[in-house]
């Protein structure tokens, strides 16, 4: 797994460090690899489109969300690889180097996602 740098981690954590953005990200994690169109995200979170667009932009710039055009819709997805890299970075050298987590802990979130 590729190691990320401090500034990459700070950007990702900064993007998630807001109540609405965290809610959006968690909803996209629940949606899995299929993601959700912006309209469904707005409806599920009862959020105006302009606010949603602002928050999605921050998440995308933070590297934790990706988007893909599908006809007239834009599908947003949590970037599981980026989050796994962030978690690996945060847990690097934890427990004084002892194995305190299963070796595949970073991939656990991908179970059931077709990985």
């Amino acid at each position: 797994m590729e190691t990320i740098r401090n500034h990459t981690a700070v950007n990702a954590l900064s993007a998630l460090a807001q109540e609405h953005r965290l809610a959006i990200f968690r909803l996209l994690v629940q949606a899995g690899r299929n993601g959700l169109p912006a309209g469904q995200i707005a409806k599920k979170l009862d959020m105006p489109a302009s606010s949603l667009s602002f928050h999605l932009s921050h998440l995308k710039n933070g590297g934790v969300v990706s988007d893909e055009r599908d006809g007239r819709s834009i599908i947003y997805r949590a970037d599981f690889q980026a989050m796994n890299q962030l978690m690996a970075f945060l847990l690097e050298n934890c427990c004084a180097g002892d194995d305190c987590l299963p070796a595949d802990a970073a991939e656990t979130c991908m179970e059931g996602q077709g990985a």
Side-chain angles (χ1 to χ4, degrees), residues 7-25:
H7 74 275
T8 304
V10 168
N11 287 341
L13 292 169
S14 176
L16 293 167
Q18 199 279 341
E19 184 177 353
H20 295 297
R21 292 194 288 271
L22 186 57
I24 293 165
F25 181 78

Side-chain angles (χ1 to χ4, degrees), residues 24-47:
I24 293 165
F25 181 78
R26 289 174 50 91
L27 180 64
L28 291 174
V29 167
Q30 291 171 10
R33 291 188 187 273
N34 292 331
L36 290 171
Q40 279 189 330
I41 298 169
K43 184 176 181 179
K44 287 178 182 265
L45 297 177
D46 192 28
M47 188 178 296

Side-chain angles (χ1 to χ4, degrees), residues 17-103:
Q18 199 279 341
E19 184 177 353
H20 295 297
R21 292 194 288 271
L22 186 57
I24 293 165
F25 181 78
R26 289 174 50 91
L27 180 64
L28 291 174
V29 167
Q30 291 171 10
R33 291 188 187 273
N34 292 331
L36 290 171
Q40 279 189 330
I41 298 169
K43 184 176 181 179
K44 287 178 182 265
L45 297 177
D46 192 28
M47 188 178 296
S50 59
S51 295
L52 178 64
S53 178
F54 172 79
H55 292 303
L56 284 168
S57 177
H58 276 279
L59 291 167
K60 188 175 170 192
N61 290 338
V64 295
V65 166
S66 64
D67 64 354
E68 177 183 3
R69 182 163 291 283
D70 182 19
R72 292 181 12 186
S73 296
I74 298 177
I75 307 299
Y76 291 89
R77 294 178 180 88
D79 187 330
F80 291 103
Q81 181 179 3
M83 286 310 297
N84 284 335
Q85 289 172 350
L86 177 61
M87 292 304 298
F89 174 80
L90 292 173
L91 297 173
E92 186 177 49
N93 299 321
C94 73
C95 303
D98 292 338
D99 286 337
C100 55
L101 293 174

